Amino acid sequence: EQGLRMKKLLVKAIVGLVYRNCITTPEDFTMVEFIIKHCGYEGPPNAQKYEISDLHDTCKSSLILMCNTVTSIRSQLRNLLLTALTVDEFTGSMATVSHCLTSLLQNNSDVIAGEPTEKELELKCSPDLVFVRCLTHIVDPDEQDRNKNLLVFLEEYSGDVHNNLKNSWTVEIQRLLKFVDKSESKEQWHGMLLDVLVSAIEQVNSNKWVEIIATLLSQQVLSKKQSP
């Protein structure tokens, strides 16, 4: 319990630093990674469930608050969160990360004075990998919260994956969202996800893109099989 309370205090301290504009360098942002990681922290076996839940809530609310209010580091947060979606270490936090990213993408129209434009920022994260990671982590129909957040994020992010997907994915993903809370069987749910993938392949209409996605999917499936 002492360790969990210390983690909560650290989270609050990091948020304080963010609001005082003390988080600026890539090294500083490892502190924000600490918050991201602990959104899905499992804790030691002897930890009280309510303590773990309290830590999760603190991390989630802190991250959401930062994304909604700290405009000066919006681009850095977006890159950090996109990268987090592609890293196994942060898989447990995907629901919160995707929720925050949706918020950031929806507010992207606000131009922040002095903030680097997207073109000036180095693109550190492959949109194709983000897409594949999301797709392979909405396969469990029982993970309703994560599925919903990842789907809503993918709808916002579709144009980044490929321009041709923007309109078609709105329809496809809205259809999936209607079934998220309906406890579909795995077979039905997987069938609908496959439809999204097939639709994407048809819309993009590029053999090279299909090869990239197929390779990434294979890597993700292999990685999931090897994980404990």
Side-chain angles (χ1 to χ4, degrees):
E1 282 187 27
Q2 199 70 31
L4 292 172
R5 285 176 190 157
M6 185 60 72
K7 286 177 187 291
K8 273 179 64 180
L9 286 172
L10 273 171
V11 169
K12 289 174 180 177
I14 292 165
V15 172
L17 289 171
V18 169
Y19 274 92
R20 287 172 177 79
N21 295 318
C22 298
I23 305 286
T24 53
T25 68
E27 290 76 20
D28 294 340
F29 275 90
T30 56
M31 288 191 272
V32 181
E33 284 183 4
F34 176 87
I35 299 178
I36 296 171
K37 184 178 178 180
H38 284 83
C39 287
Y41 179 67
E42 292 183 4
N46 60 340
Q48 296 285 342
K49 280 189 177 179
Y50 75 90
E51 288 279 1
I52 296 282
S53 179
D54 196 32
L55 176 63
H56 287 173
D57 290 343
T58 300
C59 291
K60 288 175 185 177
S61 58
S62 299
L63 202 57
I64 290 166
L65 188 68
M66 277 193 286
C67 289
N68 286 336
T69 58
V70 188
T71 55
S72 59
I73 56 168
R74 187 174 285 163
S75 295
Q76 293 96 319
L77 276 175
R78 187 168 63 242
N79 283 338
L80 184 67
L81 290 166
L82 282 170
T83 302
L85 273 187
T86 67
V87 179
D88 286 337
E89 186 184 1
F90 301 115
T91 297
S93 306
M94 285 181 94
T96 303
V97 169
S98 53
H99 176 84
C100 290
L101 276 166
T102 299
S103 174
L104 286 170
L105 290 170
Q106 287 173 342
N107 292 321
N108 200 27
S109 55
D110 302 338
V111 178
I112 311 302
E115 186 182 19
T117 64
E118 283 191 54
K119 287 181 181 176
E120 290 169 348
L121 286 165
E122 182 187 350
L123 190 63
K124 295 178 181 176
C125 202
S126 156
D128 294 333
L129 179 56
V130 171
F131 164 51
V132 168
R133 277 278 296 182
C134 290
L135 196 65
T136 54
H137 283 85
I138 49 180
V139 293
D140 184 354
D142 295 330
E143 291 283 348
Q144 294 173 349
D145 187 42
R146 182 167 73 186
N147 293 347
K148 190 180 294 184
N149 286 354
L150 284 171
L151 285 168
V152 171
F153 159 69
L154 276 177
E155 185 179 354
E156 285 293 328
Y157 192 64
S158 56
D160 289 76
V161 179
H162 198 280
N163 286 335
N164 293 6
L165 295 174
K166 190 69 182 166
N167 294 328
S168 66
W169 264 10
T170 298
V171 176
E172 295 283 350
I173 288 174
Q174 285 301 320
R175 185 170 71 92
L176 277 172
L177 284 168
K178 288 177 183 174
F179 289 95
V180 164
D181 297 321
K182 293 189 177 178
S183 301
E184 293 293 313
S185 71
K186 272 196 175 181
E187 290 75 18
Q188 287 173 303
W189 184 248
H190 290 175
M192 287 188 281
L193 291 178
L194 189 60
D195 288 344
V196 171
L197 183 57
V198 170
S199 169
I201 289 168
E202 289 172 350
Q203 291 293 326
V204 174
N205 194 24
S206 160
N207 288 338
K208 186 180 178 183
W209 188 75
V210 171
E211 286 173 15
I212 292 168
I213 296 299
T215 302
L216 291 170
L217 271 171
S218 299
Q219 289 169 352
Q220 286 299 311
V221 170
L222 196 63
S223 170
K224 287 186 85 171
K225 281 183 178 177
Q226 289 173 344
S227 62

